[in-house]
Amino acid sequence: AQSVTQLDSQVPVFEEAPVELRCNYSSSVSVYLFWYVQYPNQGLQLLLKYLSGSTLVESINGFEAEFNKSQTSFHLRKPSVHISDTAEYFCAVSHSGNTGKLIFGQGTTLQVKP
Amino acid sequence: DSGVTQTPKHLITATGQRVTLRCSPRSGDLSVYWYQQSLDQGLQFLIQYYNGEERAKGNILERFSAQQFPDLHSELNLSSLELGDSALYFCASSVGTEPNSPLHFGNGTRLTVT
């Protein structure tokens, strides 16, 4: 069975500092990986996705994630965070043969402090 | 705006009651998914419909049921409500059932059972 583990429930960081949100997955077949962001009182928005090809994927707002098959990880990074990045971040996995549903991790709250 | 519409935004009801949550998917999307988000359980997949047919089932209680109508909107029915059913319920949609298609989420319905 698939599972996703987000290793940190909360990550406090100062503005303009780099950040890494960690995600590990478990699956015995080919996977597709996603990061979603949830701002307060809103739904989840897709941040970026890994489907195939280059293991480094980027979002339009400066986040990037690297798929590491040997370590079964898909960590999310940003070199310099802004106050507006404060939100909850969810890692999710799907796999070949799946119907399309996503399995989510428990989420990581990123708190950017001035 | 994801294009997924959920109503109502908030629902307050008493234990033992029954409620219906409604979801309209993005235009062109045939798959609808329901998720429950709570503090202790995180984001849990409940059920998926594709073009009117149930496609996948997750941790959905027997007191809960769902359906997708010919116009593709979906309803989640929760009955014999308990305090523990208080949560944020999300609907998401995707084009089909491909495992590499991202899901698009609505803003959720916050259910409070008193």
Side-chain angles (χ1 to χ4, degrees):
Chain A
Q2 297 170 284
S3 66
V4 178
T5 303
Q6 291 183 243
L7 296 157
D8 307 293
S9 60
Q10 292 190 357
V11 173
V13 64
F14 286 105
E15 197 173 16
E16 297 183 8
V19 71
E20 178 180 79
L21 307 184
R22 296 179 292 169
C23 170
N24 284 92
Y25 67 90
S26 169
S27 178
S28 58
V29 296
S30 297
V31 295
Y32 306 102
L33 294 156
F34 305 82
W35 275 100
Y36 281 81
V37 58
Q38 184 181 26
Y39 298 103
N41 301 314
Q42 293 188 27
L44 281 74
Q45 301 172 32
L46 179 67
L47 193 57
L48 46 74
K49 61 189 178 194
Y50 169 77
L51 304 181
S52 65
S54 173
T55 57
L56 186 66
V57 291
E58 298 177 354
S59 72
I60 57 172
N61 56 355
F63 282 94
E64 64 179 32
E66 186 160 19
F67 170 59
N68 187 320
K69 188 174 180 180
S70 62
Q71 298 194 5
T72 60
S73 68
F74 190 54
H75 301 333
L76 182 69
R77 301 184 184 97
K78 189 169 186 180
S80 175
V81 293
H82 302 287
I83 295 283
S84 59
D85 293 324
T86 295
E88 189 152 20
Y89 292 79
F90 291 92
C91 182
V93 65
S94 178
H95 69 84
S96 58
N98 193 6
T99 62
K101 68 179 189 289
L102 295 180
I103 304 300
F104 285 88
Q106 288 290 97
T108 298
T109 301
L110 176 62
Q111 302 163 323
V112 182
K113 299 182 280 189
Chain B
D1 182 9
S2 69
V4 179
T5 304
Q6 288 188 250
T7 57
K9 286 190 170 63
H10 302 277
L11 205 45
I12 301 175
T13 189
T15 54
Q17 295 298 306
R18 173 189 168 94
V19 297
T20 297
L21 282 54
R22 183 188 168 101
C23 168
S24 293
R26 278 190 334 161
S27 176
D29 284 357
L30 298 179
S31 266
V32 169
Y33 309 76
W34 286 97
Y35 283 83
Q36 179 194 59
Q37 185 181 35
S38 60
L39 282 175
D40 53 343
Q41 297 286 329
L43 265 166
Q44 295 287 314
F45 168 71
L46 296 178
I47 197 163
Q48 175 194 4
Y49 278 82
Y50 172 73
N51 205 19
E53 300 288 328
E54 184 183 304
R55 185 54 70 102
K57 216 165 186 174
N59 302 321
I60 188 166
L61 300 171
E62 284 192 13
R63 300 183 285 109
F64 295 0
S65 65
Q67 52 184 328
Q68 187 180 28
F69 294 87
D71 67 353
L72 301 177
H73 92 270
S74 178
E75 292 180 357
L76 179 67
N77 300 296
L78 315 177
S79 61
S80 303
L81 285 168
E82 302 174 0
L83 295 177
D85 297 328
S86 295
L88 196 49
Y89 290 84
F90 284 109
C91 169
S93 71
S94 68
V95 173
T97 59
E98 295 77 20
N100 58 357
S101 290
L103 305 188
H104 303 272
F105 283 79
N107 284 339
T109 293
R110 184 170 295 281
L111 174 66
T112 303
V113 182
T114 62

